């Protein structure tokens, strides 16, 4: 049996990200759990932001932001950046975060995040309580420690956060990989 719920934004889990905007000299950062990949070529993502947020005009006017993927060790900072306003406090200072230049945009990145996406806004769509920022990814930077010898980016080493119905989580054990359901089993050679 299933229990019917009222329609709502209950998709879970979702990535939790830190969006940095403004400039390196005057940065702001805020938490977003409504972010997602929307296109491969060109590489694009979306974020949903309430127009009343302090960062909203910073992104809308500059047309740029950086989507930073935080690790689990940053959970407290991620939460603080979601509940405090840049109107009242310097969240970089409050959380002990470092604003650094990001490749391809003037918006700052969060140095402590293991992966960051520099983004240029392509469109803003009003949806209701939130506006959807559709942005092209112009650069991706990742910590060197996340790369394997063969050059593969091992995101599982980043210990990234997920968000589910008001709670922060880390990812659990691997249960498969893309295409594993149709991959042919290798035959063992008798020796």
């Amino acid at each position: 049996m299933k229990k019917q719920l009222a329609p709502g934004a209950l998709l879970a889990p979702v990535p939790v990200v830190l969006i940095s905007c403004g400039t390196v000299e005057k940065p702001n950062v805020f938490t977003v759990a409504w972010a997602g990949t929307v296109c491969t070529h060109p590489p694009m993502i979306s974020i949903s932001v309430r127009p009343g947020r302090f960062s909203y005009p910073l992104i809308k006017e500059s047309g740029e932001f950086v989507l930073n993927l935080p690790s689990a060790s940053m959970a407290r900072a991620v939460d603080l950046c979601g509940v405090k306003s840049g109107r009242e406090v310097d969240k970089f200072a409050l959380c002990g975060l470092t604003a650094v230049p990001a490749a391809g945009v003037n918006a700052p990145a969060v140095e402590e995040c293991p992966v960051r996406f520099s983004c240029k806004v392509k469109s803003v769509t009003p949806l209701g309580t939130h506006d959807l920022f559709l942005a092209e990814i112009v650069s991706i930077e990742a910590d060197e420690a996340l790369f394997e010898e063969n050059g593969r980016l091992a995101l599982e080493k980043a210990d990234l956060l997920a968000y589910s119905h008001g709670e922060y989580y880390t990812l659990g054990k691997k249960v498969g990989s893309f295409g594993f359901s149709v991959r042919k089993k290798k035959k063992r050679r008798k020796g």
Side-chain angles (χ1 to χ4, degrees), residues 171-189:
L171 301 178
K173 69 177 185 173
K174 179 180 171 180
V175 296
S177 59
F178 182 77
F180 84 101
S181 63
V182 295
R183 204 170 290 132
K184 292 183 180 181
K185 292 183 181 180
K186 293 181 181 179
K187 292 183 181 180
R188 292 186 180 173
R189 288 187 174 182

Side-chain angles (χ1 to χ4, degrees), residues 12 17 67 73 78 111 161 168 187-188:
V17 300
L67 184 147
S73 64
V78 168
E111 176 63 26
L161 284 173
Y168 301 98
K187 292 183 181 180
R188 292 186 180 173

Side-chain angles (χ1 to χ4, degrees), residues 3-163:
K3 183 176 180 177
Q4 187 169 0
L5 302 169
L10 193 58
L11 179 66
V14 293
V16 61
V17 300
L18 289 174
I19 302 296
S20 49
C21 55
T23 63
V24 173
E25 299 77 26
K26 192 165 169 95
N28 192 52
V29 60
F30 68 110
T31 304
V32 169
W34 294 357
T37 303
V38 295
C39 188
T40 305
H41 299 289
M44 299 183 82
I45 57 142
S46 68
I47 60 171
S48 292
V49 182
R50 287 182 185 266
R53 298 282 300 254
F54 177 70
S55 295
Y56 182 95
L58 296 175
I59 295 170
K60 192 161 184 182
E61 291 167 16
S62 71
E64 299 179 341
F65 63 88
V66 178
L67 184 147
N68 304 271
L69 298 180
S71 60
S73 64
M74 299 177 68
R76 184 171 178 75
V78 168
D79 189 63
L80 273 169
C81 288
V83 297
K84 295 287 186 179
S85 173
R87 283 185 187 93
E88 299 151 8
V89 66
D90 176 346
K91 291 188 267 185
F92 273 90
L94 176 68
C95 297
L97 300 175
T98 310
V100 295
V105 294
N106 291 318
V110 178
E111 176 63 26
E112 291 76 12
C113 289
V115 182
R116 56 188 178 233
F117 301 78
S118 296
C119 302
K120 293 195 177 211
V121 175
K122 293 300 177 187
S123 67
V124 181
T125 305
L127 301 174
T129 58
H130 291 70
D131 284 3
L132 179 80
F133 285 82
L134 187 61
E136 184 172 353
I137 300 165
V138 296
S139 178
I140 301 174
E141 297 174 274
D143 288 351
E144 288 183 7
L146 298 178
F147 289 89
E148 295 178 341
E149 283 185 27
N150 65 3
R152 176 184 170 271
L153 176 59
L155 280 176
E156 66 275 9
K157 292 180 182 179
D159 198 23
L160 300 176
L161 284 173
Y163 188 75

